[in-house]
């Protein structure tokens, strides 16, 4: 029986592993199906994690030290894809691909989220080299420069507003003639003189060279006119896929309370509505979707698991 099963080896899961094992738990396993380190390993740089400031290091370099430190105190690594988590009496059963199962007294789910891609030409080629899905992470790289934003919902307009305080101009491209964002959010964007709203339009192509993105071609869907916008930053906000499938029972119902956006509802202790089940990082409600906050969540969840097990004993 595991003291704790941690699912997902990004910043939240690794930090939870560090805190649980360094806090004295002997039998903790981290299930990670891919590269240890999570989403940030796909980034070419990270500038907003305090204490780490090296422009020549990638997200993968940054997470390398985490892996060494977080496994140092006895955390075990199961390189497996978890299919489901089920509460069986007082403990949990974790089923993994291949048919094996594990039993655990507590579970911390840290499976993160994945920003959706819009699907235009060049998007994948320039992802992380001009095409971004995070204004907080990458906006500063375009200080006093014009950028393009794709999307028409609340997130797109809130992120456009954030960028408008850093960048010279923000061109928001939306495929419909009306924005889906809440009226106050839209009003705020309209009132900001350096935000320019471009409706009935899509990104036709993102283009550039070895140094990264040089610009985007915007197509008006009513007239088919193409406008060449030579902005080296393009922010795509067309939604996030929350990696929550492991929390569904065989009937397809979630085993704990979820928001209508599919995020796990937690309290300030990262405890879900199910006793012994915790959640940390991008998967939880109102996650800021930053490495530093995912790590903070992981530490809280790790400490809370220790207290929970002490009370059970
Ligand atoms: C390109 C890019 C650049 C970014 N830049 C920055 C930045 O500069 N600064 C910043 O603070 N943040 C940045 N972020 C955001 C940051 O990476 C995330 O907020 C953070 O990684 C979230 O951590 P997490 O541990 O919650 O989830 P994740 O990092 O998403 O990790 C979740 C892990 O769970 C694993 N997993 C999922 N499902 C299963 C399963 N069923 N079984 C086993 N394993 C599973 C995944 O493989 C993944 O490794 C960036 C993100 C991207 C994509």
């Amino acid at each position: 029986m595991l003291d704790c099963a941690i699912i997902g080896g990004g910043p939240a899961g690794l930090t939870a592993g560090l805190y649980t094992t360094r806090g004295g738990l002997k039998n903790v396993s981290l299930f990670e199906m891919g590269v240890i380190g999570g989403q940030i390993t796909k980034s070419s740089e990270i500038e907003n994690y305090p204490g780490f400031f090296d422009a020549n290091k990638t997200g993968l370099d940054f997470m390398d030290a985490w892996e060494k430190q977080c496994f140092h105190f006895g955390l075990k690594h199961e390189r497996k894809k978890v299919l489901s988590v089920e509460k069986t009496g007082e403990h949990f059963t974790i089923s993994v691909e291949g048919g094996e199962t594990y039993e655990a007294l507590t579970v911390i789910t840290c499976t993160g989220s994945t920003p959706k891609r819009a699907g235009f030409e060049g998007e994948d080629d320039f992802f992380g080299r001009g095409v971004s899905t995070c204004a907080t992470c990458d906006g500063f790289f375009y200080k006093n420069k014009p950028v393009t934003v794709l999307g028409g919902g609340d997130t797109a307009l809130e992120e456009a507003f954030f960028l408008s305080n850093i960048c010279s101009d923000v061109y928001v491209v939306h495929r419909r003639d009306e924005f889906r964002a809440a009226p106050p959010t839209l009003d705020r964007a309209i009132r900001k003189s350096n935000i320019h709203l471009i409706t009935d339009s899509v990104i036709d192509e993102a283009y550039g060279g070895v140094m990264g993105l040089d610009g985007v071609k915007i197509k008006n869907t009513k007239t088919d006119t193409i406008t060449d916008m030579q902005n080296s930053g393009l922010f795509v906000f067309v939604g996030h896929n929350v990696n929550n499938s492991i929390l569904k029972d065989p009937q397809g119902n979630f085993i704990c309370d979820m928001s209508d956006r599919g995020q796990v509802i937690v309290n300030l202790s990262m405890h879900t509505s199910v006793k012994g089940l915790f959640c940390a990082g991008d998967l939880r409600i109102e996650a800021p979707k930053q490495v530093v906050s995912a790590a903070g969540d992981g530490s809280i969840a790790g400490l809370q698991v220790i207290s929970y097990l002490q009370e059970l004993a």
Side-chain angles (χ1 to χ4, degrees), residues 35-36 40-43 57-65:
V35 174
I36 288 281
I40 192 65
T41 58
K42 297 193 178 75
S43 178
K57 293 216 165 148
T58 63
L60 196 61
D61 301 329
F62 170 68
M63 290 312 292
D64 190 42

Side-chain angles (χ1 to χ4, degrees), residues 7-13 31-35 37-40 42-43 45-48 80-82 110-113 115 127 133-134 137-138 243 246 280-283 289-292 294:
I7 306 166
F31 295 79
E32 169 54 61
M33 63 182 183
V35 174
Q39 289 172 59
I40 192 65
K42 297 193 178 75
S43 178
E45 61 231 306
I46 172 159
E47 275 193 349
N48 58 0
K80 288 178 181 146
K81 178 176 181 175
V82 172
C110 310
T111 45
S113 67
F127 192 78
T133 49
C134 178
C137 311
D138 298 330
N243 302 327
I246 62 166
D282 278 15
L283 178 63
K289 299 198 173 62
Q290 293 292 287
V291 172
V292 71

Side-chain angles (χ1 to χ4, degrees), residues 143-218:
K143 193 168 192 290
N144 299 327
K145 292 182 185 162
V147 293
T148 313
V149 164
L150 177 65
D154 282 306
T155 307
L157 288 185
E158 276 159 21
E159 299 281 42
F161 198 82
F162 177 89
L163 290 166
S164 71
N165 293 325
I166 303 169
C167 306
S168 61
D169 290 278
V170 181
Y171 296 89
V172 184
V173 177
H174 180 42
R175 65 197 159 108
R176 300 192 198 286
D177 58 353
E178 280 185 7
F179 282 83
R180 275 180 292 112
T185 313
L186 180 58
D187 278 356
R188 206 159 60 117
I190 291 170
R191 277 189 274 113
K192 195 80 197 272
S193 61
N194 63 341
I195 296 183
H196 314 283
L197 304 179
I198 304 172
T199 51
D200 293 318
S201 297
V202 293
I203 305 281
D204 197 45
E205 185 191 343
Y207 62 88
V210 281
M211 298 304 286
L213 187 74
D214 288 330
V216 290
K217 292 194 174 155
I218 297 168

Side-chain angles (χ1 to χ4, degrees), residues 18-89:
L18 172 64
Y19 273 72
T20 45
T21 52
R22 194 166 176 273
L25 298 188
K26 297 276 177 281
N27 206 2
V28 183
S29 286
L30 181 140
F31 295 79
E32 169 54 61
M33 63 182 183
V35 174
I36 288 281
Q39 289 172 59
I40 192 65
T41 58
K42 297 193 178 75
S43 178
S44 54
E45 61 231 306
I46 172 159
E47 275 193 349
N48 58 0
Y49 194 88
F52 178 87
F53 195 43
D54 186 340
N56 297 317
K57 293 216 165 148
T58 63
L60 196 61
D61 301 329
F62 170 68
M63 290 312 292
D64 190 42
W66 287 51
E67 186 175 343
K68 287 191 191 107
Q69 182 180 6
C70 295
F71 283 97
H72 181 74
F73 300 95
L75 178 65
K76 284 170 271 186
H77 178 196
E78 301 288 349
R79 191 177 296 280
K80 288 178 181 146
K81 178 176 181 175
V82 172
L83 298 180
S84 66
V85 174
E86 196 188 341
K87 183 131 194 200
T88 335

